[in-house]
Amino acid sequence: MSGSGSNSLWGSRFEGGPSEALAALSRSVHFDWRLASYDIAGSLAHIKALHQAGYLTTPELEALTRHLEELRKRVESGQFSPKPSDEDVHGALERGLIEIAGPELGGKVRAGRSRNDQIANLIRMYLLDSSDVIEAQVLDLIRVLCDRAEEHMGVAMPGRTHFQHAQPVLLSHHLMAHAWPLVRDLERMADWRKRAKLSPYGAGALAGSTLGLDPALVAAELGFDGVTQNSMDATASRDVVAEFSFISSLIGINLSRFAEEIIIWASAEFDYVKLDDAFSTGSSIMPQKKNPDIAELARGKAGRLIGDLTGLLATLKGLPLSYNRDLQEDKEPVFDAVDTLIVLLPAFTGMVATLTFNRNRLERLAPEGFSLATDVAEWLVKQRVPFRDAHEITGKLVSFCEANELELHQVPDADLAAISNKLTPEVRQVLSVDGSIRSRSGAGGTALPRVLEQIATLRKFVIRREGV
């Protein structure tokens, strides 16, 4: 039994144990216990490498495999759990294995590895599994956005820049504009997996091991694509963790931007949407209230995700090679990011799936704010008017409408001609929302055929990602 306490993995050269203050500060088992199943999987792979290298007999390998599987069952059932005296998940599980296998056989498992390469491996395994859960939830949201777009095909709404009326667009086009950033987030996640699927096992504390163990065997057993190229980098770097945190924060930011619109749309002043009772809340004092809590929480939790990333980057920024205990702080930020997204995404998707859109109001407001002015300017360009002149003519038309409280299509022919002889009655061809939307048929435009193409492409993306 080491001087540092019965469950320590490091106290053999110490005559006395750590102070209570040090033990409390060092303890991580209260948050890294969620990695227990990955630690056991790593041990099952590691003992195969020990056996291949001749450090375990075949009977010992078979016995340890049985004991580790038994430990896994006890952990999953809750029969075995960490004690307050356990420093971390590694020490707790070694204690559990020794309780089953005995100290002589159980004590052999630690040969050829360090907590440094173990934890670098476990966090990758955890994040890879978590990324699958998050991706499935994001795909659900993309699918729902496609469904809602198809339900409201042809419905026009005001498009905005600077939050002012700009040009009319299809509601379906607007919804698709919130789907594409999520697609890019999943593409980033797929690219991240290429870097995450390299196993640090075999790096040891920092310089590798002298025991001749095969890290490729362990990597293959654990489902990795290969082995990290540098042992010091493997144990010292957490860019894979930071990149996952970055992608998580981007997902949160993209949800938050949509959430902000939903909050505005649900207000009495806008009245674009109504929230479903199951995805909104009331007030403890004002009986009439229907609050967009899911959207507000999405907006708030985006800040939390950014904080997770910022804190992690600040922890990493000044660390010398190789392992430093600061890296204990890498786990809680991404644990929090995972926990945040997997509870937020289903609620957000449910909110979007059950929104009721006020079609009549959206279409009534689509042409307001002189949103067809650009169509007038471009019509003039088609009449061979230089755009500089077309812009000035259209600006004068808008000023006339403002002064006389008219919409563009309400200006009499005589007044059009007075503003410019280029504004012939034929300009009325473009003074309709339907005509404006139909004419924007270039790649990525809001015209119906282009929106249908977007939806088809997104649905193929969902199917393809689900099949990976």
Side-chain angles (χ1 to χ4, degrees):
M1 186 178 298
S2 70
S4 65
S6 60
N7 299 332
S8 171
L9 301 181
W10 52 265
S12 57
R13 58 92 67 211
F14 287 79
E15 294 182 3
S19 66
E20 289 185 11
L22 172 58
L25 179 62
S26 297
R27 193 167 294 122
S28 62
V29 73
H30 56 288
F31 60 81
D32 65 19
W33 184 245
R34 72 169 69 193
L35 301 176
S37 63
Y38 300 103
D39 193 290
I40 294 170
S43 293
L44 285 164
H46 181 65
I47 60 175
K48 291 184 179 179
L50 287 171
H51 173 256
Q52 183 191 65
Y55 297 103
L56 291 175
T57 66
T58 297
E60 286 176 329
L61 171 65
E62 292 171 349
L64 278 171
T65 300
R66 289 195 306 273
H67 298 325
L68 284 167
E69 292 291 358
E70 174 61 25
L71 179 59
R72 193 207 302 268
K73 290 178 185 176
R74 294 185 186 184
V75 168
E76 290 173 352
S77 68
Q79 183 181 351
F80 180 82
S81 59
K83 292 180 177 180
S85 57
D86 289 321
E87 184 178 24
D88 55 31
V89 62
H90 316 295
L93 290 174
E94 181 170 288
R95 173 176 61 80
L97 178 61
I98 287 173
E99 288 176 5
I100 298 171
E104 184 175 348
L105 182 58
K108 292 186 175 185
V109 176
R110 209 195 315 165
R113 69 179 182 182
S114 163
R115 288 187 299 179
N116 296 1
D117 61 347
Q118 272 185 276
I119 195 60
N121 211 84
L122 304 190
I123 192 65
R124 290 174 183 237
M125 294 168 69
Y126 169 82
L127 292 179
L128 284 163
D129 280 354
S130 297
S131 73
D132 290 340
V133 176
I134 291 168
E135 174 164 355
Q137 293 180 338
V138 173
L139 288 172
D140 284 342
L141 177 54
I142 294 171
R143 187 185 300 106
V144 163
L145 286 168
C146 290
D147 292 343
R148 302 316 310 272
E150 287 185 337
E151 289 171 28
H152 298 87
M153 199 63 67
V155 176
M157 68 176 292
R160 296 172 183 270
T161 63
H162 305 276
F163 207 61
Q164 306 297 311
H165 281 227
Q167 294 173 348
V169 297
L170 290 179
L171 170 59
S172 300
H173 190 59
H174 192 120
L175 293 174
M176 293 299 89
H178 283 297
W180 289 110
L182 297 172
V183 168
R184 293 193 294 275
D185 289 336
L186 296 186
E187 289 173 341
R188 291 183 187 96
M189 193 79 82
D191 193 57
W192 165 83
R193 287 191 184 98
K194 298 174 188 175
R195 292 176 284 283
K197 292 195 78 173
L198 295 177
S199 170
Y201 248 110
L206 78 160
S209 169
T210 66
L211 298 183
L213 307 183
D214 183 5
L217 183 155
V218 176
E221 286 287 325
L222 296 176
F224 284 90
D225 292 339
V227 179
T228 50
Q229 293 88 350
N230 183 289
S231 61
M232 292 180 73
D233 175 57
T235 59
S237 299
R238 291 296 187 274
D239 51 306
V240 165
V241 180
E243 188 177 359
F244 178 90
S245 182
F246 169 69
I247 296 168
S248 298
S249 68
L250 269 184
I251 293 171
I253 288 167
N254 288 326
L255 295 180
S256 181
R257 295 185 69 193
F258 193 10
E260 174 71 6
E261 291 191 333
I262 291 171
I263 292 165
I264 294 168
W265 291 354
S267 67
E269 291 79 5
F270 270 71
D271 191 26
Y272 284 8
V273 299
K274 284 192 171 27
L275 298 162
D276 189 85
D277 287 355
F279 291 92
S280 56
T281 66
S283 165
S284 60
I285 189 172
M286 296 172 284
Q288 83 281 10
K289 292 296 294 296
K290 180 181 271 193
N291 298 325
D293 279 24
I294 292 173
E296 291 172 351
L297 286 167
R299 193 172 56 183
K301 288 183 182 298
R304 180 183 186 127
L305 290 163
I306 293 168
D308 289 332
L309 172 62
T310 304
L312 176 57
L313 292 175
T315 298
L316 300 177
K317 72 174 181 61
L319 295 185
L321 291 175
S322 55
Y323 183 83
N324 296 272
R325 192 60 181 274
D326 312 50
L327 293 178
Q328 181 172 301
E329 298 300 310
D330 72 330
K331 286 171 281 301
E332 286 182 287
V334 284
F335 290 170
D336 182 69
V338 169
D339 292 345
T340 296
L341 285 178
I342 63 175
V343 73
L344 172 59
L345 279 161
F348 196 94
T349 300
M351 175 185 64
V352 175
T354 57
L355 284 175
T356 300
F357 289 91
N358 189 340
R359 297 185 182 207
N360 291 335
R361 181 164 175 78
L362 288 167
E363 295 203 312
R364 187 169 68 252
L365 293 175
E368 289 193 1
F370 310 111
S371 65
L372 299 174
T374 305
D375 295 86
V376 174
E378 291 181 347
W379 179 84
L380 287 167
V381 169
K382 291 175 184 176
Q383 313 312 310
R384 300 296 186 265
V385 176
F387 185 76
R388 182 183 182 86
D389 295 338
H391 192 285
E392 183 176 349
I393 292 167
T394 306
K396 289 179 179 178
L397 174 61
V398 170
S399 295
F400 178 87
C401 289
E402 284 183 322
N404 293 276
E405 298 184 356
L406 297 173
E407 292 295 333
L408 294 174
H409 67 278
Q410 296 173 326
V411 179
D413 290 350
D415 291 321
L416 288 174
I419 294 167
S420 171
N421 61 7
K422 305 294 185 183
L423 289 174
T424 63
E426 286 74 22
V427 73
R428 300 189 188 283
Q429 302 168 31
V430 300
L431 292 179
S432 73
V433 170
D434 286 346
S436 175
I437 288 174
R438 279 198 309 272
S439 68
R440 303 194 181 280
S441 57
T446 193
L448 185 58
R450 302 293 82 79
V451 174
L452 289 169
E453 289 171 357
Q454 290 183 63
I455 295 171
T457 301
L458 285 166
R459 290 204 182 279
K460 288 177 183 176
F461 174 83
V462 170
I463 292 169
R464 187 169 65 250
R465 290 307 308 166
E466 288 178 332
V468 172

